[in-house]
């Protein structure tokens, strides 16, 4: 008979500093009082059975993920975790609740599929029932939006330490005083992604469901453990609230600002076009890598972290991102060497959509707070042309800028969505069709007005293939694209000679 050893720690060294001042090893941050506890009870949580860890320390989330979820610590200290069967977003399973407060604003169709309120209630109840079966439930309270005038309070409720750490990195982390005074959240995410949706429920087409209710300001996740669904859920809410409630323009973009001139650049583009990579520029301060609001007074980041693609990542090509992968960061679905815990960023055996989530302050030249009181000077629209037709750079007239913003031509790259195994040409309106909530014309009109008021220059930069289409030509080398962007920032390209091509 083969003896199977048990790896549980038989004895835990007592804490040097004891409770009550610092608590013990199971002091999980269940620090809700009064109205907070009443909220959880009214929502259907059985407070006599579950233990809630609110805004748990990063180290504790590491411990729980390693102990309960099979997570691994990489050689640089990042937490390597896995999202299970789903390694990308599931856009066909996204639903918006059809209700009276928002139904006239939503752009209904294949992106925003209708769900009735009763089905939402069923799925919400299903998610809470599942969370009630867990010993540990994690809560993270944070903010979306760095400008206090326009930010919202977000509460994430989930069953995996990995998900709690992910949103700790992606939302804006509150100070101790802000957490004490947090109060009632503006938006709540119930993430029961380990538990499937009932596909026989009205409106369900699979065991995965990602749904948002703007009347209740709630999101429910079932049947997918891919953490990016939470991030994009928050963006969808901001994509609705900023134009409708605040009159500000939300954008799927990255942004940075010059250290000397203070000139702001917005980068538009879908996943895989280079927004994150190109905005991480050692000569400029990073405002953010993915989601922003162009307000009446300037530009601010929606998020508190970055969610970078890791495929073929190297310290030579992307040193800022490579060096951000340390303690506190999450490596998602990345293959590693079991012997030395070195991540293998070239291995795509799990997915090509390998990712890293880290707080934005892990980027050395990040601008903290991520908010600039200046209007953009340059707008760079990034596209990954799979056919090798577009030139590396084009200067756009205002009319051409509106055309390309509404058309949003690019190619979905492998791994950014479930089932995408090679580049697929697509037209993604406003460079954010998978996340758009209102009719595209509302965003386009606001963008045109703000560009005119700011007298901003607009450029179309192709980060895709040259010398032929995918499979024949080669993708434009990153160093060349960086040089093009440098020439835009220096003003060098403004004085260049151009050949006109009519739209």
């Amino acid at each position: 008979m083969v003896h199977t050893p048990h790896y549980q720690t038989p004895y835990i060294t007592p804490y040097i500093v004891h409770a009550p001042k610092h608590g013990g090893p199971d002091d999980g941050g269940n620090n809700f009082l009064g109205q907070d506890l009443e909220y959880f009870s009214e929502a259907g949580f059985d407070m006599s059975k579950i233990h809630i860890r609110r805004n748990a320390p990063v180290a504790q989330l590491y411990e729980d993920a390693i102990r309960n979820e099979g997570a691994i610590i990489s050689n640089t200290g990042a937490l390597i975790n896995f999202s299970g069967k789903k390694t990308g977003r599931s856009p066909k399973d996204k639903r918006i609740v059809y209700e009276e407060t928002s139904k006239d604003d939503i752009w209904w169709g294949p992106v925003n599929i209708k769900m009735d309120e009763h089905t939402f209630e069923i799925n919400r109840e299903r998610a809470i029932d599942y969370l009630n079966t867990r010993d540990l439930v994690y809560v993270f309270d944070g903010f979306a939006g760095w400008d206090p005038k326009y930010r919202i309070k977000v509460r994430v409720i989930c069953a995996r330490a990995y998900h709690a750490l992910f949103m700790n990195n992606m939302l804006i982390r509150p100070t101790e005083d802000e957490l004490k005074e947090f109060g009632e959240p503006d938006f709540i995410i119930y993430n029961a992604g380990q538990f499937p949706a009932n596909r026989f429920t009205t409106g369900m087409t699979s065991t995965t469901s990602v749904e948002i209710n703007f009347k209740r300001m709630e999101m429910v996740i079932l049947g997918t453990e891919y953490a990016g669904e939470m991030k994009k859920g928050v963006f969808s809410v901001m994509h609705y609230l900023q134009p409708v409630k605040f009159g500000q323009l939300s954008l799927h973009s990255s942004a940075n600002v010059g250290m000397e001139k203070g000139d702001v650049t917005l980068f538009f583009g879908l996943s895989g076009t280079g927004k994150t990579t190109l905005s991480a520029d050692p000569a400029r301060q990073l405002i953010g890598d993915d989601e922003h609001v162009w307000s009446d007074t300037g530009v601010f980041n929606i998020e508190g972290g970055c969610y970078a693609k890791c495929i073929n990542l190297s310290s030579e090509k992307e040193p800022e991102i490579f060096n951000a992968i340390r303690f506190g960061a999450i490596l998602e679905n990345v293959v590693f060497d079991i012997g030395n815990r070195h991540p293998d960023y070239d291995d795509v055996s799990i997915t090509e959509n390998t990712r890293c989530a880290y707080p934005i302050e892990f980027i050395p030249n990040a601008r903290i707070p991520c908010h600039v009181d200046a209007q953009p000077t340059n707008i760079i629209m990034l596209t990954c042309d799979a056919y090798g037709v577009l030139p590396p750079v084009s200067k756009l007239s205002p009319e051409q800028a509106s055309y390309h913003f509404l058309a949003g031509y690019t190619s979905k790259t492998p791994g950014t969505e479930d089932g995408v195994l090679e580049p697929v040409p697509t037209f993604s309106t406003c460079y954010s069709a998978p996340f758009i909530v209102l009719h595209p014309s509302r965003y386009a009109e606001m963008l045109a007005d703000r560009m005119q008021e700011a007298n901003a220059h607009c450029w179309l930069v192709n980060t895709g293939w040259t010398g032929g289409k995918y499979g024949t030509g080669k993708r434009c080398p990153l160093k060349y694209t960086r040089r093009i962007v440098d020439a835009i920032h220096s003003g060098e390209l403004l004085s260049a000679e151009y050949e006109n091509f009519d739209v």
Side-chain angles (χ1 to χ4, degrees), residues 6 18 28 45 63 76 112 142 158 189 263 322 350 385 405 438 450 454 499 502:
H6 293 280
H18 297 285
F45 288 93
E63 292 165 2
T76 61
N112 298 305
C158 56
I189 298 174
D263 57 306
F322 187 89
I350 296 177
D385 178 23
F405 182 70
L438 311 179
R450 290 175 188 267
E499 183 178 354
D502 293 331

Side-chain angles (χ1 to χ4, degrees), residues 34-168:
Q35 290 183 335
D36 289 316
L37 286 175
E38 183 180 342
Y39 154 76
F40 278 94
S41 295
E42 290 181 353
F45 288 93
D46 189 342
M47 302 303 291
S48 66
K49 294 181 179 179
I50 63 171
H51 186 77
I52 292 177
R53 289 189 172 167
R54 182 193 189 200
N55 288 52
V58 170
Q60 186 176 48
L61 294 175
Y62 264 55
E63 292 165 2
D64 287 355
I66 292 167
R67 181 186 298 115
N68 303 323
E69 302 172 19
I72 297 292
I73 299 178
S74 78
N75 66 306
T76 61
L79 187 73
I80 302 177
N81 221 320
F82 304 93
S83 66
K85 181 180 178 181
K86 299 280 188 176
T87 58
R89 291 180 290 105
S90 300
K92 294 180 181 178
D93 297 307
K94 174 187 169 185
R95 301 288 187 273
I96 304 291
V97 174
Y98 187 82
E99 44 79 20
E100 66 273 11
T101 68
S102 63
K103 63 183 177 66
D104 294 332
D105 289 310
I106 306 300
W107 187 39
W108 300 108
V111 173
N112 298 305
I113 303 170
K114 294 179 183 178
M115 168 182 277
D116 65 82
E117 292 185 82
H118 180 65
T119 299
F120 177 84
E121 295 291 345
I122 291 173
N123 287 345
R124 180 182 182 272
E125 192 79 1
R126 189 175 177 90
I128 292 174
D129 285 347
Y130 171 77
L131 291 169
N132 271 326
T133 68
R134 305 296 91 189
D135 294 329
L136 287 175
V137 172
Y138 300 91
V139 172
F140 184 78
D141 288 340
F143 301 106
W146 280 85
D147 189 331
K149 297 190 299 293
Y150 306 117
R151 76 181 184 185
I152 66 170
K153 297 181 288 185
V154 179
R155 171 166 291 167
V156 180
I157 306 173
C158 56
R160 290 193 65 177
Y162 147 52
H163 289 153
L165 180 57
F166 178 88
M167 292 306 280
N168 172 85

Side-chain angles (χ1 to χ4, degrees), residues 20 245 258 336 408:
K245 180 179 179 180
F336 63 94

Side-chain angles (χ1 to χ4, degrees), residues 353-416:
N353 191 32
T354 52
R355 295 272 185 166
C356 180
Y358 49 87
I360 194 166
E361 55 264 33
F362 282 18
I363 298 293
N365 58 338
R367 185 182 184 93
I368 307 294
C370 305
H371 179 205
V372 178
D373 288 322
Q375 299 295 308
T377 301
N378 289 293
I379 308 295
I380 297 177
M381 295 183 178
L382 300 168
T383 183
C384 177
D385 178 23
Y387 287 111
V389 174
L390 292 175
V393 61
S394 309
K395 189 175 190 304
L396 303 182
S397 67
E399 295 77 15
Q400 290 171 328
S402 293
Y403 170 84
H404 280 283
F405 182 70
L406 282 170
Y409 169 68
T410 189
S411 301
K412 293 179 183 177
T413 54
T416 53

Side-chain angles (χ1 to χ4, degrees), residues 236-250:
S236 293
V237 168
M238 292 293 274
H239 228 13
Y240 170 79
L241 287 179
Q242 290 301 318
V244 172
K245 180 179 179 180
F246 299 113
Q248 308 304 314
L249 177 59
S250 48

